[in-house]
Amino acid sequence: PPQDSNDMDEDGVANGVDNCPINANADQEDGDGDGKGDACDDCADPNPGNAACATTIKAIRDMSDPAHPSPGAQVTVSGAYVTGLRPTTGSSQGFYIEDGTQTPFTGIFVYTGSTSPSVAIGNIVTVSGTYEEYFGLSEILSSTVTVTDAAAALPFSPLQIADTSAIATGGADGEGYESMLLQVGAVSIV
């Protein structure tokens, strides 16, 4: 039979009032109450309208995390601390954020392209954008940034790294501490 143009998913609910018009869901279940039916809502928490799923930096960065999104996914991270800024000229501008736990995989770069970041170190921000891997660097790009607290100081110090070989390319801790605020101890160049 031909498809009913007023009920594209053929679940008996008209497109105009169907909370998931492309996936059949006659029960119209909406467990998180965001107006999107469970049949087409991948977010466990409410994300009304076109809002990205709220997630954590660790979930984005750690590929073994069950909530790890695929590159290209729209993500939102809240309550993150700005820990560093890239130079304010050129086309590789941006800033670094961490969640404050200082555990591996809890820092990420926010790429702003040719636009100077409108944040300062110590600010607490919410960032929404596209998660991508750029030559092995995890980043959020095409982002919307909201400063939720204009704090001027970080509530934590850089992580102290005694063995720099652990964070070097290919080192045991290199990937986990990518984009995090670190301080190395005595270094000798030979």
PDB file of all heavy atoms in Angstrom, residues 91-115:
ATOM      1  N   SER A  91      45.196  30.547  11.839  1.00  0.00           N
ATOM      2  CA  SER A  91      43.980  29.751  11.637  1.00  0.00           C
ATOM      3  C   SER A  91      43.905  28.527  12.534  1.00  0.00           C
ATOM      4  O   SER A  91      43.080  27.654  12.308  1.00  0.00           O
ATOM      5  CB  SER A  91      43.897  29.326  10.171  1.00  0.00           C
ATOM      6  OG  SER A  91      45.016  28.518   9.844  1.00  0.00           O
ATOM      7  N   SER A  92      44.752  28.430  13.544  1.00  0.00           N
ATOM      8  CA  SER A  92      44.725  27.293  14.474  1.00  0.00           C
ATOM      9  C   SER A  92      44.465  27.764  15.899  1.00  0.00           C
ATOM     10  O   SER A  92      45.105  27.315  16.840  1.00  0.00           O
ATOM     11  CB  SER A  92      46.040  26.516  14.408  1.00  0.00           C
ATOM     12  OG  SER A  92      46.178  25.902  13.163  1.00  0.00           O
ATOM     13  N   GLN A  93      43.527  28.673  16.052  1.00  0.00           N
ATOM     14  CA  GLN A  93      43.231  29.213  17.369  1.00  0.00           C
ATOM     15  C   GLN A  93      42.273  28.294  18.119  1.00  0.00           C
ATOM     16  O   GLN A  93      41.582  27.474  17.530  1.00  0.00           O
ATOM     17  CB  GLN A  93      42.641  30.612  17.232  1.00  0.00           C
ATOM     18  CG  GLN A  93      43.627  31.590  16.605  1.00  0.00           C
ATOM     19  CD  GLN A  93      43.056  32.970  16.489  1.00  0.00           C
ATOM     20  OE1 GLN A  93      42.581  33.523  17.461  1.00  0.00           O
ATOM     21  NE2 GLN A  93      43.117  33.535  15.290  1.00  0.00           N
ATOM     22  N   GLY A  94      42.243  28.467  19.413  1.00  0.00           N
ATOM     23  CA  GLY A  94      41.361  27.675  20.244  1.00  0.00           C
ATOM     24  C   GLY A  94      41.801  27.703  21.685  1.00  0.00           C
ATOM     25  O   GLY A  94      42.639  28.516  22.084  1.00  0.00           O
ATOM     26  N   PHE A  95      41.237  26.787  22.470  1.00  0.00           N
ATOM     27  CA  PHE A  95      41.574  26.732  23.892  1.00  0.00           C
ATOM     28  C   PHE A  95      41.379  25.308  24.397  1.00  0.00           C
ATOM     29  O   PHE A  95      40.753  24.472  23.751  1.00  0.00           O
ATOM     30  CB  PHE A  95      40.739  27.731  24.693  1.00  0.00           C
ATOM     31  CG  PHE A  95      39.250  27.551  24.585  1.00  0.00           C
ATOM     32  CD1 PHE A  95      38.540  26.864  25.571  1.00  0.00           C
ATOM     33  CD2 PHE A  95      38.549  28.082  23.517  1.00  0.00           C
ATOM     34  CE1 PHE A  95      37.167  26.703  25.480  1.00  0.00           C
ATOM     35  CE2 PHE A  95      37.171  27.940  23.412  1.00  0.00           C
ATOM     36  CZ  PHE A  95      36.486  27.243  24.403  1.00  0.00           C
ATOM     37  N   TYR A  96      41.947  25.058  25.564  1.00  0.00           N
ATOM     38  CA  TYR A  96      41.893  23.738  26.187  1.00  0.00           C
ATOM     39  C   TYR A  96      40.957  23.777  27.385  1.00  0.00           C
ATOM     40  O   TYR A  96      40.930  24.768  28.119  1.00  0.00           O
ATOM     41  CB  TYR A  96      43.295  23.305  26.637  1.00  0.00           C
ATOM     42  CG  TYR A  96      44.239  23.130  25.473  1.00  0.00           C
ATOM     43  CD1 TYR A  96      44.988  24.197  24.997  1.00  0.00           C
ATOM     44  CD2 TYR A  96      44.352  21.900  24.834  1.00  0.00           C
ATOM     45  CE1 TYR A  96      45.847  24.043  23.910  1.00  0.00           C
ATOM     46  CE2 TYR A  96      45.215  21.742  23.750  1.00  0.00           C
ATOM     47  CZ  TYR A  96      45.949  22.810  23.302  1.00  0.00           C
ATOM     48  OH  TYR A  96      46.784  22.663  22.228  1.00  0.00           O
ATOM     49  N   ILE A  97      40.209  22.690  27.578  1.00  0.00           N
ATOM     50  CA  ILE A  97      39.327  22.580  28.738  1.00  0.00           C
ATOM     51  C   ILE A  97      39.562  21.244  29.432  1.00  0.00           C
ATOM     52  O   ILE A  97      39.985  20.273  28.806  1.00  0.00           O
ATOM     53  CB  ILE A  97      37.831  22.729  28.371  1.00  0.00           C
ATOM     54  CG1 ILE A  97      37.389  21.688  27.324  1.00  0.00           C
ATOM     55  CG2 ILE A  97      37.526  24.148  27.901  1.00  0.00           C
ATOM     56  CD1 ILE A  97      35.894  21.696  27.027  1.00  0.00           C
ATOM     57  N   GLU A  98      39.310  21.242  30.739  1.00  0.00           N
ATOM     58  CA  GLU A  98      39.366  20.025  31.549  1.00  0.00           C
ATOM     59  C   GLU A  98      38.153  20.001  32.464  1.00  0.00           C
ATOM     60  O   GLU A  98      37.571  21.044  32.756  1.00  0.00           O
ATOM     61  CB  GLU A  98      40.623  19.998  32.424  1.00  0.00           C
ATOM     62  CG  GLU A  98      41.899  19.749  31.689  1.00  0.00           C
ATOM     63  CD  GLU A  98      43.088  19.583  32.643  1.00  0.00           C
ATOM     64  OE1 GLU A  98      42.934  18.970  33.715  1.00  0.00           O
ATOM     65  OE2 GLU A  98      44.164  20.090  32.289  1.00  0.00           O
ATOM     66  N   ASP A  99      37.833  18.782  32.948  1.00  0.00           N
ATOM     67  CA  ASP A  99      36.681  18.677  33.845  1.00  0.00           C
ATOM     68  C   ASP A  99      37.029  18.920  35.311  1.00  0.00           C
ATOM     69  O   ASP A  99      36.153  18.978  36.163  1.00  0.00           O
ATOM     70  CB  ASP A  99      35.964  17.345  33.671  1.00  0.00           C
ATOM     71  CG  ASP A  99      36.746  16.146  34.180  1.00  0.00           C
ATOM     72  OD1 ASP A  99      37.829  16.315  34.789  1.00  0.00           O
ATOM     73  OD2 ASP A  99      36.275  15.009  33.972  1.00  0.00           O
ATOM     74  N   GLY A 100      38.314  19.067  35.639  1.00  0.00           N
ATOM     75  CA  GLY A 100      38.723  19.368  37.000  1.00  0.00           C
ATOM     76  C   GLY A 100      39.100  18.162  37.839  1.00  0.00           C
ATOM     77  O   GLY A 100      39.589  18.307  38.954  1.00  0.00           O
ATOM     78  N   THR A 101      38.882  16.960  37.324  1.00  0.00           N
ATOM     79  CA  THR A 101      39.215  15.755  38.094  1.00  0.00           C
ATOM     80  C   THR A 101      40.685  15.390  37.982  1.00  0.00           C
ATOM     81  O   THR A 101      41.195  14.648  38.805  1.00  0.00           O
ATOM     82  CB  THR A 101      38.384  14.542  37.645  1.00  0.00           C
ATOM     83  OG1 THR A 101      38.706  14.238  36.280  1.00  0.00           O
ATOM     84  CG2 THR A 101      36.891  14.802  37.796  1.00  0.00           C
ATOM     85  N   GLN A 102      41.337  15.860  36.949  1.00  0.00           N
ATOM     86  CA  GLN A 102      42.746  15.592  36.662  1.00  0.00           C
ATOM     87  C   GLN A 102      43.049  14.104  36.512  1.00  0.00           C
ATOM     88  O   GLN A 102      44.147  13.653  36.805  1.00  0.00           O
ATOM     89  CB  GLN A 102      43.648  16.246  37.705  1.00  0.00           C
ATOM     90  CG  GLN A 102      43.542  17.759  37.670  1.00  0.00           C
ATOM     91  CD  GLN A 102      44.563  18.436  38.519  1.00  0.00           C
ATOM     92  OE1 GLN A 102      44.524  18.324  39.733  1.00  0.00           O
ATOM     93  NE2 GLN A 102      45.491  19.107  37.878  1.00  0.00           N
ATOM     94  N   THR A 103      42.078  13.362  36.048  1.00  0.00           N
ATOM     95  CA  THR A 103      42.288  11.955  35.729  1.00  0.00           C
ATOM     96  C   THR A 103      42.499  11.831  34.224  1.00  0.00           C
ATOM     97  O   THR A 103      42.107  12.728  33.462  1.00  0.00           O
ATOM     98  CB  THR A 103      41.091  11.093  36.178  1.00  0.00           C
ATOM     99  OG1 THR A 103      39.895  11.598  35.572  1.00  0.00           O
ATOM    100  CG2 THR A 103      40.937  11.119  37.698  1.00  0.00           C
ATOM    101  N   PRO A 104      43.112  10.750  33.766  1.00  0.00           N
ATOM    102  CA  PRO A 104      43.359  10.612  32.324  1.00  0.00           C
ATOM    103  C   PRO A 104      42.081  10.757  31.499  1.00  0.00           C
ATOM    104  O   PRO A 104      40.990  10.394  31.933  1.00  0.00           O
ATOM    105  CB  PRO A 104      43.936   9.195  32.206  1.00  0.00           C
ATOM    106  CG  PRO A 104      44.600   8.957  33.519  1.00  0.00           C
ATOM    107  CD  PRO A 104      43.694   9.636  34.527  1.00  0.00           C
ATOM    108  N   PHE A 105      42.248  11.299  30.301  1.00  0.00           N
ATOM    109  CA  PHE A 105      41.191  11.493  29.304  1.00  0.00           C
ATOM    110  C   PHE A 105      40.180  12.574  29.697  1.00  0.00           C
ATOM    111  O   PHE A 105      39.061  12.570  29.215  1.00  0.00           O
ATOM    112  CB  PHE A 105      40.449  10.182  29.011  1.00  0.00           C
ATOM    113  CG  PHE A 105      41.327   9.105  28.443  1.00  0.00           C
ATOM    114  CD1 PHE A 105      41.755   8.061  29.249  1.00  0.00           C
ATOM    115  CD2 PHE A 105      41.747   9.139  27.132  1.00  0.00           C
ATOM    116  CE1 PHE A 105      42.582   7.065  28.748  1.00  0.00           C
ATOM    117  CE2 PHE A 105      42.571   8.149  26.613  1.00  0.00           C
ATOM    118  CZ  PHE A 105      42.993   7.109  27.426  1.00  0.00           C
ATOM    119  N   THR A 106      40.552  13.524  30.545  1.00  0.00           N
ATOM    120  CA  THR A 106      39.584  14.541  30.970  1.00  0.00           C
ATOM    121  C   THR A 106      39.946  15.952  30.496  1.00  0.00           C
ATOM    122  O   THR A 106      39.471  16.939  31.059  1.00  0.00           O
ATOM    123  CB  THR A 106      39.394  14.519  32.501  1.00  0.00           C
ATOM    124  OG1 THR A 106      40.665  14.727  33.136  1.00  0.00           O
ATOM    125  CG2 THR A 106      38.796  13.200  32.960  1.00  0.00           C
ATOM    126  N   GLY A 107      40.753  16.037  29.427  1.00  0.00           N
ATOM    127  CA  GLY A 107      41.048  17.314  28.796  1.00  0.00           C
ATOM    128  C   GLY A 107      40.816  17.205  27.297  1.00  0.00           C
ATOM    129  O   GLY A 107      40.959  16.128  26.719  1.00  0.00           O
ATOM    130  N   ILE A 108      40.413  18.308  26.665  1.00  0.00           N
ATOM    131  CA  ILE A 108      40.174  18.303  25.215  1.00  0.00           C
ATOM    132  C   ILE A 108      40.414  19.709  24.665  1.00  0.00           C
ATOM    133  O   ILE A 108      40.292  20.708  25.390  1.00  0.00           O
ATOM    134  CB  ILE A 108      38.747  17.795  24.875  1.00  0.00           C
ATOM    135  CG1 ILE A 108      38.615  17.468  23.375  1.00  0.00           C
ATOM    136  CG2 ILE A 108      37.684  18.781  25.332  1.00  0.00           C
ATOM    137  CD1 ILE A 108      37.381  16.644  23.033  1.00  0.00           C
ATOM    138  N   PHE A 109      40.754  19.779  23.389  1.00  0.00           N
ATOM    139  CA  PHE A 109      40.982  21.050  22.706  1.00  0.00           C
ATOM    140  C   PHE A 109      39.693  21.505  22.043  1.00  0.00           C
ATOM    141  O   PHE A 109      38.965  20.703  21.440  1.00  0.00           O
ATOM    142  CB  PHE A 109      42.078  20.875  21.647  1.00  0.00           C
ATOM    143  CG  PHE A 109      42.377  22.122  20.870  1.00  0.00           C
ATOM    144  CD1 PHE A 109      42.895  23.244  21.497  1.00  0.00           C
ATOM    145  CD2 PHE A 109      42.146  22.183  19.509  1.00  0.00           C
ATOM    146  CE1 PHE A 109      43.178  24.409  20.783  1.00  0.00           C
ATOM    147  CE2 PHE A 109      42.424  23.331  18.778  1.00  0.00           C
ATOM    148  CZ  PHE A 109      42.937  24.442  19.425  1.00  0.00           C
ATOM    149  N   VAL A 110      39.401  22.801  22.136  1.00  0.00           N
ATOM    150  CA  VAL A 110      38.256  23.411  21.454  1.00  0.00           C
ATOM    151  C   VAL A 110      38.821  24.298  20.362  1.00  0.00           C
ATOM    152  O   VAL A 110      39.476  25.310  20.635  1.00  0.00           O
ATOM    153  CB  VAL A 110      37.382  24.226  22.435  1.00  0.00           C
ATOM    154  CG1 VAL A 110      36.203  24.855  21.687  1.00  0.00           C
ATOM    155  CG2 VAL A 110      36.890  23.343  23.575  1.00  0.00           C
ATOM    156  N   TYR A 111      38.589  23.908  19.117  1.00  0.00           N
ATOM    157  CA  TYR A 111      39.135  24.599  17.948  1.00  0.00           C
ATOM    158  C   TYR A 111      38.214  25.728  17.540  1.00  0.00           C
ATOM    159  O   TYR A 111      37.010  25.534  17.344  1.00  0.00           O
ATOM    160  CB  TYR A 111      39.283  23.590  16.811  1.00  0.00           C
ATOM    161  CG  TYR A 111      39.711  24.174  15.492  1.00  0.00           C
ATOM    162  CD1 TYR A 111      41.025  24.575  15.294  1.00  0.00           C
ATOM    163  CD2 TYR A 111      38.812  24.301  14.439  1.00  0.00           C
ATOM    164  CE1 TYR A 111      41.431  25.095  14.068  1.00  0.00           C
ATOM    165  CE2 TYR A 111      39.207  24.817  13.218  1.00  0.00           C
ATOM    166  CZ  TYR A 111      40.519  25.214  13.044  1.00  0.00           C
ATOM    167  OH  TYR A 111      40.918  25.727  11.841  1.00  0.00           O
ATOM    168  N   THR A 112      38.780  26.942  17.418  1.00  0.00           N
ATOM    169  CA  THR A 112      37.978  28.096  17.008  1.00  0.00           C
ATOM    170  C   THR A 112      38.415  28.669  15.659  1.00  0.00           C
ATOM    171  O   THR A 112      37.948  29.729  15.258  1.00  0.00           O
ATOM    172  CB  THR A 112      38.026  29.206  18.083  1.00  0.00           C
ATOM    173  OG1 THR A 112      39.375  29.648  18.252  1.00  0.00           O
ATOM    174  CG2 THR A 112      37.461  28.713  19.411  1.00  0.00           C
ATOM    175  N   GLY A 113      39.335  27.974  14.971  1.00  0.00           N
ATOM    176  CA  GLY A 113      39.758  28.395  13.635  1.00  0.00           C
ATOM    177  C   GLY A 113      40.508  29.709  13.644  1.00  0.00           C
ATOM    178  O   GLY A 113      41.486  29.879  14.351  1.00  0.00           O
ATOM    179  N   SER A 114      40.039  30.677  12.859  1.00  0.00           N
ATOM    180  CA  SER A 114      40.679  31.993  12.768  1.00  0.00           C
ATOM    181  C   SER A 114      40.090  32.991  13.755  1.00  0.00           C
ATOM    182  O   SER A 114      40.442  34.168  13.731  1.00  0.00           O
ATOM    183  CB  SER A 114      40.522  32.540  11.342  1.00  0.00           C
ATOM    184  OG  SER A 114      41.183  31.697  10.437  1.00  0.00           O
ATOM    185  N   THR A 115      39.208  32.529  14.608  1.00  0.00           N
ATOM    186  CA  THR A 115      38.551  33.401  15.585  1.00  0.00           C
ATOM    187  C   THR A 115      39.235  33.278  16.937  1.00  0.00           C
ATOM    188  O   THR A 115      39.418  32.171  17.447  1.00  0.00           O
ATOM    189  CB  THR A 115      37.063  33.012  15.727  1.00  0.00           C
ATOM    190  OG1 THR A 115      36.446  33.057  14.446  1.00  0.00           O
ATOM    191  CG2 THR A 115      36.341  33.941  16.685  1.00  0.00           C
TER     192      THR A 115
END
